[in-house]
Amino acid sequence: MEQRVTLITLGVSDLARSKAFYEALGWRGQEVEETVFFQAGGLGLVLWGRDKLAADCGLEAGKADGFGGIVLAHNVRSDAEVDALLAAVERAGGTVTKPAVVNEIGFYSGAFVDPDGHAWEVARNPGFPLAEDGSVSIPDFGQAH
């Protein structure tokens, strides 16, 4: 298996509400056959009905509450951008779960959940500088492989 992720699909309970939330944050997507596709740098973020997504994976949808063990990250270039994005999340109907602070590792970050409880971290991390196009490259940590 080649080392890459091409699409991240979020199972949502109300497609129109979720699409409106991400659009309120400035994302622009395309809705095709009850599925919303956003270009997110070099990969795609997809919104699809939670029950349909679970069935497509041969799983039961289960409960949608609580932490699901996955956090998406959105790195930005300044502390002010972290603050602005968290404020936009609240205006759009998301919930800030951790106000922005300098964390124990030493960079500025906060966290939120979208209307379906999908967790996101927003961070300005100088150890992961962003290219002009917004992409990030994992640094060489100098450890033996």
Side-chain angles (χ1 to χ4, degrees), residues 8 10 22 45 66-74 95 97 110-122:
I8 295 172
L10 302 178
Y22 286 98
L45 182 76
F67 179 61
I70 296 174
V71 177
L72 303 171
H74 181 82
T95 302
T97 57
F112 71 90
V113 292
D114 73 5
D116 284 281
H118 298 292
W120 287 80
E121 176 189 46
V122 181

Side-chain angles (χ1 to χ4, degrees), residues 32-85:
V32 179
E33 298 180 13
E34 298 178 2
T35 308
V36 178
F37 298 88
F38 296 100
Q39 186 67 50
L43 61 82
L45 182 76
V46 182
L47 306 177
W48 196 24
R50 183 176 173 79
D51 291 339
K52 291 176 183 180
L53 179 59
D56 192 54
C57 293
L59 301 168
E60 291 185 35
K63 297 174 93 178
D65 58 346
F67 179 61
I70 296 174
V71 177
L72 303 171
H74 181 82
N75 285 25
V76 296
R77 292 177 175 86
S78 71
D79 293 358
E81 286 181 82
V82 173
D83 294 335
L85 181 51

